Amino acid sequence: MNVYDEANNLAKALKESTEYKNFLAAKEKLEKEPEKFEMTKDYIRKQMEVQSMQMMGQEIPEEQISSYNTLANTIMGMPEIAEFFQTQMYFSVIFQDITDIIAKAVDLDMGLFESEEGC
């Protein structure tokens, strides 16, 4: 068995999955509405900023949180954007499941995340 052949087969199966096709269709539909597409990109940028600050242990200014929440409430009320994020989430779940399966198969975590009872 050639590992690269199997990886290419997996990639092909992902591209042919209903979840990926739905995500791609939602993305293409959203791209046809430039204003909503830009709002979506702005939201993703702000989301990444907030997550980055949280990961670095920085305090997030109240006005930034308020701005982020206002934008989130606004865009999630738009069906095209909500559909984009929903289909993205469904595909991400499959992608993460596959990543987890591979990581477990090759013991990638090296037991670092197992509970250490008796210590």
Side-chain angles (χ1 to χ4, degrees):
M1 165 181 26
N2 182 318
V3 174
Y4 294 102
D5 289 343
E6 295 300 322
N8 284 315
N9 288 336
L10 177 57
K12 183 179 178 192
L14 280 170
K15 281 185 87 169
E16 293 174 356
S17 71
T18 301
E19 292 80 5
Y20 179 74
K21 288 178 182 178
N22 289 344
F23 167 66
L24 204 54
K27 182 177 178 255
E28 289 171 357
K29 184 177 175 182
L30 186 58
E31 287 174 334
K32 290 179 182 176
E33 298 192 43
E35 185 177 325
K36 290 179 182 176
F37 186 63
E38 287 304 315
M39 288 176 74
T40 303
K41 290 192 318 186
D42 186 43
Y43 172 75
I44 292 170
R45 278 191 288 275
K46 288 182 179 185
Q47 184 180 45
M48 289 172 55
E49 285 175 17
V50 168
Q51 288 173 349
S52 177
M53 291 175 76
Q54 287 174 329
M55 288 173 44
M56 292 189 295
Q58 296 177 345
E59 188 171 327
I60 303 164
E62 186 60 40
E63 63 269 4
Q64 187 174 1
I65 293 171
S66 178
S67 171
Y68 173 76
N69 288 335
T70 299
L71 181 58
N73 290 333
T74 301
I75 68 170
M76 291 308 172
M78 298 177 184
E80 301 85 357
I81 296 174
E83 179 184 13
F84 169 78
F85 282 113
Q86 184 178 33
T87 59
Q88 180 187 47
M89 182 192 67
Y90 290 150
F91 180 69
S92 293
V93 167
I94 289 174
F95 197 86
Q96 186 60 52
D97 288 347
I98 290 168
T99 302
D100 291 345
I101 291 166
I102 293 169
K104 286 176 187 171
V106 296
D107 196 23
L108 200 56
D109 72 6
M110 301 180 293
L112 295 174
F113 304 109
E114 295 174 5
S115 64
E116 296 182 22
E117 294 183 20
C119 291

